């Protein structure tokens, strides 16, 4: 019988509670997504900090769980069929957790696919584009003199924010009345755009009434407040 202890990652980050879901993460936008979902769902889990400062994500133990060397990743001792499941990519993890519990995703098939649609919108568009804007606006502001990259990603961030603003018009949450993994996927990136990246003004984020109202609601949830500090 395979157990959590059989996975190489547990040699570097031992599981104090091997019967709990193991989270390997950092409080970045993508990391916060999974922490927020776990907190919302109330699933027992153990969080392990993967520090970029010490290149933990490049160690053989972490790469044995996620060959793409990105956080977050999970190891669930109670996966499908009662067998341990290792999983990476925040979007895949959100879908897995929602389907495992039957929460944070619509029950009807059409609603489920529409929710996944907006999750994919974040995964393929909003997250990567905000990340590129953050790179050129914040991390490489003094290294890249050509204005084109910053202007390009600023324009794309504005476009994506306009899509979100329109979607939230008359809706409390992205899927309507219910808070779902679509909201969980997006709000940490809005937080980083206007906060850490300091790009709220150049993208017009503060002028988007629907986005601001929705973001405040998402951020004030008890699970969200806890998630931004996980792993501590």
């Amino acid at each position: 019988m395979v157990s959590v202890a059989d996975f190489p990652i547990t040699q570097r980050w031992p599981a104090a509670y091997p019967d709990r879901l193991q989270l390997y993460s950092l409080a970045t936008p993508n990391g916060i997504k999974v922490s927020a979902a776990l907190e919302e769902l109330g699933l027992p889990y153990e969080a392990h900090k993967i520090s970029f400062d010490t290149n933990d994500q490049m160690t053989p133990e972490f790469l044995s769980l996620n060959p793409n060397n990105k956080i977050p990743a999970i190891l669930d001792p109670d996966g499908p069929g009662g067998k341990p499941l290792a999983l990476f990519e925040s979007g895949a993890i959100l879908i897995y957790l929602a389907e495992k519990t039957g929460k944070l995703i619509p029950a009807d098939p059409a609603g489920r696919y529409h929710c996944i649609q907006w999750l994919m919108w974040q995964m393929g568009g909003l997250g990567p584009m905000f990340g590129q804007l953050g790179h050129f606006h914040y991390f490489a502001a003094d290294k890249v003199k050509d204005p084109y990259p910053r202007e390009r990603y600023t324009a794309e961030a504005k476009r994506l924010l306009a899509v979100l603003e329109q979607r939230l018009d008359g809706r409390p949450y992205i899927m309507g009345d219910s808070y779902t993994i679509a909201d969980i996927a997006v709000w940490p990136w809005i937080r980083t755009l206007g906060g850490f990246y300091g790009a709220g003004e150049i993208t017009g984020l503060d002028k988007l009434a629907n986005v601001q109202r929705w973001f405040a609601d998402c951020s004030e949830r008890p699970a969200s407040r806890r998630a931004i500090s996980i792993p501590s």
Side-chain angles (χ1 to χ4, degrees), residues 192-222:
T192 297
L193 181 74
F196 184 72
Y197 291 161
E201 184 176 352
I202 65 171
T203 57
L205 177 60
D206 294 342
K207 296 182 175 62
L208 301 175
N210 294 329
V211 172
Q212 289 296 321
R213 178 263 308 157
W214 162 87
F215 174 68
D217 184 279
C218 294
S219 301
E220 289 167 6
R221 296 174 72 91

Side-chain angles (χ1 to χ4, degrees), residues 149-170:
R150 184 170 176 268
E151 291 173 354
R152 181 187 191 282
Y153 292 114
T154 298
E156 183 61 5
K158 286 181 177 179
R159 187 190 70 80
L160 290 161
L161 285 170
V163 172
L164 182 60
E165 176 74 2
Q166 182 181 35
R167 176 64 183 179
L168 291 169
D169 189 22

Side-chain angles (χ1 to χ4, degrees), residues 21-67:
L21 186 147
Q22 304 294 305
L23 169 66
Y24 307 91
S25 190
L26 194 64
T28 66
N30 286 332
I32 290 171
K33 290 183 205 172
V34 175
S35 299
L38 286 166
E39 289 291 323
E40 290 282 351
L41 295 168
L43 288 172
Y45 72 99
E46 183 177 355
H48 304 274
K49 183 177 180 180
I50 306 301
S51 176
F52 293 166
D53 293 337
T54 53
N55 287 321
D56 285 350
Q57 75 277 17
M58 301 302 295
T59 60
E61 293 87 355
F62 186 78
L63 291 172
S64 70
L65 190 65
N66 183 0

